[in-house]
Amino acid sequence: MAVRVAVNGMGVIGKRVAHAVKLQDDMKLVAISTRSPSPTLKTILEPKGPLYGTHLYACSQESLENMKKAGMIVNGTLEDLLSKGEVDVVVDCTPKKVGAENKKIYEKYGVRAIFQGGEKSGVGTMTFNSFVNYDEAYKHKYIRVPSCNTTSLVRTLYTLSKITDIEEVDVAIVRRANDPPEDEEALCNSIEPTMEVPSHHGPDVQTVLPYLDIKTMSVKVPTTLAHVHIVHCEVKRLPKSEEIRDLFIKTPRITVLKASDGYTSTAKVIERYRDLLRPRYDMPEVVVWEETINTREDDVFWAHMVHQESIVIPENIDCIRAMFQLETNKEKSISKTDRSLGI
Amino acid sequence: MAVRVAVNGMGVIGKRVAHAVKLQDDMKLVAISTRSPSPTLKTILEPKGPLYGTHLYACSQESLENMKKAGMIVNGTLEDLLSKGEVDVVVDCTPKKVGAENKKIYEKYGVRAIFQGGEKSGVGTMTFNSFVNYDEAYKHKYIRVPSCNTTSLVRTLYTLSKITDIEEVDVAIVRRANDPPEDEEALCNSIEPTMEVPSHHGPDVQTVLPYLDIKTMSVKVPTTLAHVHIVHCEVKRLPKSEEIRDLFIKTPRITVLKASDGYTSTAKVIERYRDLLRPRYDMPEVVVWEETINTREDDVFWAHMVHQESIVIPENIDCIRAMFQLETNKEKSISKTDRSLGI
């Protein structure tokens, strides 16, 4: 029987997870729940919107009143929904720290939950990555899918670790100031170093790859399309650049593009996914620039690009599948998810 | 029989026109032609790309060599294609001034052509707008579809002129610095007034609405999503704001959105079209912000937004239909085109 999924929170991640769940044949989107009648919420529920016909719930009594006042058809609160016993798992995509608060509700009604990277790793009993620990997920009721930056690093570094031992990793993370739809409070014509040094991204990668010696620092720049990571690894045995490139090419959810083919920047790469008519131009793949893959002495270098809005979407789908053992082979789940999302 | 269309030039406009032609049941995309093996060209012809399987031609002998060198499968030059007599009309979407050069080729092979707004109005014997002069197009072999800015002004002003006489129009055009895929030579953290005063946009509107007294000026700002026009009309009889709003709402290809619904900026509006999963988030509609529609003394004001990449696409489709009298009723053509594009 299809796993019954509710998605709580209809922001950048939640609306995409809900749509992705709808595209699976082994899970069913029972309902969505959210806080306020945002323009995005109204649009996705329109007749031409991707979630038209989905049952809508409010995350609280206050939200329920607000949404009704705004003319939305709301079926009750999230607790009303969960008390019916028709949901197996909630994917919680609410803002940072709200997920941890919500956990009490999920526990109260005995439903499993998947949290996002904005929450501290302790919110779940494991931090999930499709490539690394898919097989462990079925043992856990509360799982966290790490952030976009962490996911991209786990994906590439775990792949590299298949052909060499990584002694140490240094990453400079160049972060987008804001997501494309945001028009408030964005950094403008300035570069803002994150004062947390090393940044939390390294320890977050270690929640999935605990043996990895990794240090990260980050700066924020005035762009919205994507993050870029500048990666430097010290390794035990130096592979050839071509070997790393070929390994990346054959790994799902890693795409290698060449500047010499015209992919000189995040703008050019995003245009590729617009040209492929991907919904919302989503790019859940990590894109590595081929020319930046280089090796010297005991060092491996590359730069990759992270589409912060969509990279974690397939991970959430695999996580549901792993949690309920809908598919026990991780490669099969990855490939099924990717096909459904046109990756 | 379906009209046989070739599209020459695969830039921002050409790739969209070609895709739009493919979506019509009364025209057939025979081939595309272009100059160089750009990343966009390769992407759209990939198995997952929207023009997969389309015959590719090169705009010159030199281009042919270049594209073959880049591994593209090219069927010959544009002249080879036209000499076969299998094309009824070329939609020329090549860069500014190249279209005028190409006209000689179209004349040589006796094919009709539609040019874009980058060309001077003399390139054709009429400048086309679906709302204004659809019925005239069948008399012309060479027609120009005006630019994005002009199209948006013609669409809104012609609509307003149905309920009042417009005495004079002043428009401040706030232009995007570059299209989203461009990563070269963009204005950065600066505002650049166009030194041509009044700007060419006013006279260009007059190629479609010759009786209109309109003056425009423009500045360029560092954004890529859209242009914004600040419109001020002096009118003979002052309509109520609500009357103008309702007129805009019921007019095809004009959409009225409210800042109070969350549509506070171009970023928020574009997100709506991403959420609707529109291909490439295209928004051929002019979006007018409802709160900006205002009237005072003998003045009408509003601000609208122009998606420079897609607003002219439905106009090109209607223009083909009008030119070959595939549909003699303009409302029917507009509605058929809009349905095919999900507008």
Side-chain angles (χ1 to χ4, degrees), chain A residues 217-284:
Chain A
M217 277 181 72
S218 87
V219 296
K220 211 189 264 186
V221 299
T223 183
T224 64
L225 297 176
H227 307 297
V228 169
H229 291 199
I230 296 169
V231 184
H232 170 197
C233 304
E234 228 178 277
V235 297
K236 219 163 204 165
R237 187 194 71 77
L238 194 70
K240 285 194 183 144
S241 303
E242 297 73 35
E243 205 179 337
I244 302 168
R245 179 198 61 195
D246 293 347
L247 184 68
F248 281 164
I249 288 174
K250 75 175 190 199
T251 304
R253 298 182 194 167
I254 298 181
T255 294
V256 178
L257 293 178
K258 287 188 204 181
S260 65
D261 278 344
Y263 297 107
T264 43
S265 68
T266 54
K268 296 283 193 200
V269 173
I270 289 294
E271 188 68 2
R272 170 171 167 78
Y273 294 89
R274 295 180 78 203
D275 279 338
L276 288 171
L277 313 188
R278 285 268 186 96
R280 300 185 175 97
Y281 67 72
D282 283 353
M283 182 186 88

Side-chain angles (χ1 to χ4, degrees), chain B residues 43-88:
Chain B
T43 304
I44 58 182
L45 291 171
E46 275 179 24
K48 284 188 176 178
L51 298 186
Y52 180 59
T54 305
H55 294 290
L56 173 64
Y57 288 80
C59 65
S60 69
Q61 197 60 42
E62 193 192 341
S63 285
L64 182 65
E65 304 309 326
N66 283 342
M67 289 207 279
K68 280 187 173 169
K69 239 179 261 166
M72 309 293 296
I73 300 166
V74 199
N75 296 274
T77 65
L78 179 63
E79 292 212 44
D80 293 338
L81 168 67
L82 298 183
S83 67
K84 293 184 201 162
E86 290 167 4
V87 171
D88 300 311

Side-chain angles (χ1 to χ4, degrees), chain A residues 15-16 19 39-40 42-44 46 48-50 180-184 188-189 261-265 267-268 271-272 274-277 279-282 307 309 342-343, chain B residues 15-16 19 39-40 42-44 46 48-50 180-184 188-189 261-265 267-268 271-272 274-277 279-282 307 309 342-343:
Chain A
K15 66 186 177 185
R16 288 175 165 84
H19 185 215
T40 273
K42 290 180 185 167
T43 304
I44 59 182
E46 274 178 26
K48 284 187 176 180
E182 299 308 318
D183 55 7
E184 305 105 0
C188 174
N189 200 44
D261 278 344
Y263 297 107
T264 43
S265 68
K268 296 283 193 200
E271 188 68 2
R272 170 171 167 78
R274 295 180 78 203
D275 279 338
L276 288 171
L277 313 188
R280 300 185 175 97
Y281 67 72
D282 283 353
H307 184 227
E309 299 175 286
I343 298 175
Chain B
K15 65 186 178 185
R16 288 177 166 84
H19 185 216
T40 272
K42 291 180 183 166
T43 304
I44 58 182
E46 275 179 24
K48 284 188 176 178
E182 299 309 318
D183 55 8
E184 306 106 358
C188 175
N189 200 44
D261 277 344
Y263 297 107
T264 42
S265 68
K268 297 284 192 199
E271 188 69 2
R272 169 172 167 77
R274 295 181 76 202
D275 280 337
L276 288 171
L277 313 188
R280 300 184 175 98
Y281 68 73
D282 282 353
H307 184 227
E309 298 175 286
I343 298 175

Side-chain angles (χ1 to χ4, degrees), chain B residues 83-135:
Chain B
S83 67
K84 293 184 201 162
E86 290 167 4
V87 171
D88 300 311
V89 60
V90 176
V91 185
D92 187 298
C93 306
T94 58
K96 216 173 181 165
K97 293 184 185 168
V98 180
E101 281 296 309
N102 290 339
K103 192 178 172 186
K104 287 175 244 161
I105 305 177
Y106 309 140
E107 286 174 330
K108 180 174 168 189
Y109 294 97
V111 295
R112 298 189 182 210
I114 295 169
F115 300 93
Q116 305 303 311
E119 304 307 320
K120 291 200 174 137
S121 63
V123 73
T125 46
M126 85 176 278
T127 295
F128 177 87
N129 177 276
S130 308
F131 292 85
V132 182
N133 52 23
Y134 183 96
D135 300 337

Side-chain angles (χ1 to χ4, degrees), chain B residues 105-176:
Chain B
I105 305 177
Y106 309 140
E107 286 174 330
K108 180 174 168 189
Y109 294 97
V111 295
R112 298 189 182 210
I114 295 169
F115 300 93
Q116 305 303 311
E119 304 307 320
K120 291 200 174 137
S121 63
V123 73
T125 46
M126 85 176 278
T127 295
F128 177 87
N129 177 276
S130 308
F131 292 85
V132 182
N133 52 23
Y134 183 96
D135 300 337
E136 304 294 313
Y138 76 94
K139 300 177 202 155
H140 300 263
K141 289 190 70 168
Y142 301 106
I143 300 183
R144 172 174 171 267
V145 170
S147 75
C148 51
N149 284 310
T150 301
T151 300
S152 77
L153 287 169
V154 170
R155 215 180 264 172
T156 48
L157 293 169
Y158 179 73
T159 301
L160 179 65
S161 75
K162 288 182 176 173
I163 53 167
T164 186
D165 289 326
I166 303 175
E167 300 270 16
E168 203 183 323
V169 186
D170 275 300
V171 186
I173 301 181
V174 184
R175 291 161 60 207
R176 58 94 184 95

